[in-house]
Amino acid sequence: MKQMGYTPDDWAGRPVIAILNTWSDINPCHAHFKQRVEDVKRGIFQAGGFPIELPALSLSEVFVKPTTMLYRNMLAMEVEELLRCHPVDGAVLMGGCDKTTPGLLMGATSAGLPAIFLPAGPMLRGNWKGKVLGSGSDAWKYWDERRAGKTTEAEWGEVEGGIARSHGTCMTMGTASTMTAIAEAIGMSLPGASSIPAADAGHIRMCCESGRRIVDMVWEDLTPVRIQTRASFENAIAVAMAMGCSTNAIIHVIAMARRAGCDIGLDDFEAASRKVPVIANIRPNGDTYLMEDFYYAGGLPALMNRVCDRLHLNALSVTGRTLAENIAGAEVYNDDVIRTVDNALYREGALAVLKGNLAPDGCVMKPSACESRFFKHSGPALVFDDYPSMKKATDDEDLDVSPDHVLVLRNAGPLGGPGMPEWGMLPIPRKLVRQGVRDMLRLSDARMSGTSYGACVLHVAPESFVGGPLALVHTGDTISVDIPARTIHLDVSEAELGRRKAAWKRPVSKFERGYGWIFSRHIGQANEGCDFDFLRSDFGAPVGEPDIF
Ligand code: FES
């Protein structure tokens, strides 16, 4: 320590706080973390702690190939071991871009030290020619306009320039906004932290306050296991529903909860979906507002106050206080952005879990972001075995397809993708786009971005790569979806499915060495949260802190 210019006055008798910083030069969502980490340190020093910044895998959603989901568990492993192998007493977790939030929290939970999650904050509203642009959602929308020949190349360039006007995470109700809200609802962030725009001075103050608070959390021995209970995860699921969350929430919350020893599953989401209305009017659910508007309307504490009768108010948080104390007096300042329960955006159904012979272990749909005519739909399957052939076919003007077809993509799951890429919003065939078609029933074992929308059935489990029924669908088979009944059905006889199964051959593994080799052998299915089996909280004896000799 002296080699770095410190003396015992700097560290002796003080909590040593690791700051896990997921900044990188290629992560625009975390670009401000380079400065914000100094504000965290300021808070730690003020409270009598000693900060140590430790870089962690950055997982930039827009740049990491083939998908950040392949590496979420790698970040979780890195976090767990960083906290175990360094001489630290607590941690500030700096993340926000999609998989960084669950990755940081899963690792810190397994490490067991007091930890506080610091969200990167959403970026400012997008703007183009006076129109408000939302991350992802408007990219998909204007890309379809481009494919239909209604937007020029120059205009597309302007959309690119206007859609991301500051550092920070996607400002629609995508996976980033969903997961940071969930982190706060579980109790792992300061109240209101997840709603503050990244470019707001309030974000700087929140960073400093998080630094101050973690020092006290160490003295209080306020570990994740004391905060993360079944009640707190049920709170998180209820809040996710009220927010109109990304479908990715299901996978991450199941994985996070199981790290904390809580057996959360698809049924918990389905139950919450039935009783918690969507009250956050944020794109892609509504068509007007973004996270910046949500912050001005009162942010997450105000939303939680609106649905407080559906929450466990005695759940503990990083403040050391209960949820009831944290949200007391939180007001809504704009009833159109944060609706009342009686004037909800959708009465129920932010997410729907479907089951049937095509998905025995479940699949997921987001009714709040699709046209209601697809709530009950039957149509002939048009099947693609991989993404490149699907892309080529949907661009073919002569493709034999109608608006009633069900587009099916397989080999896009945890093993087949690999990593369940966000391919689930299959492109509408160009021929139909030109006719004005903007939504179709689509089905896959992939995920989709929280900023995506449409009648997309996702996370089909078991995935096709391991021989799930999705592997047995033929083009022309009839597929039926009934959202009110929560069913999905492939209209093929059991005998015929048996014949197809007998003829099915398992594809060759995607990896024969390296991290992918570990991934291939230990990844769980979507309904299990896609964690590695050997990282589960009940796998083997707990790992202790290393001895120092
Ligand atoms: Fe980072 Fe969307 S790309 S949050």
Side-chain angles (χ1 to χ4, degrees), residues 27 29 60-62 96-98 123 135 168-170 176:
N27 192 335
C29 309
S60 172
E61 190 63 27
V62 285
C97 189
D98 290 23
M123 65 178 106
S135 311
T169 50
C170 292

Side-chain angles (χ1 to χ4, degrees), residues 77-92:
M77 288 173 72
E78 183 191 15
V79 168
E80 181 177 347
E81 300 308 325
L82 278 173
L83 296 181
R84 182 167 291 128
C85 73
H86 288 98
V88 297
D89 303 301
V92 178

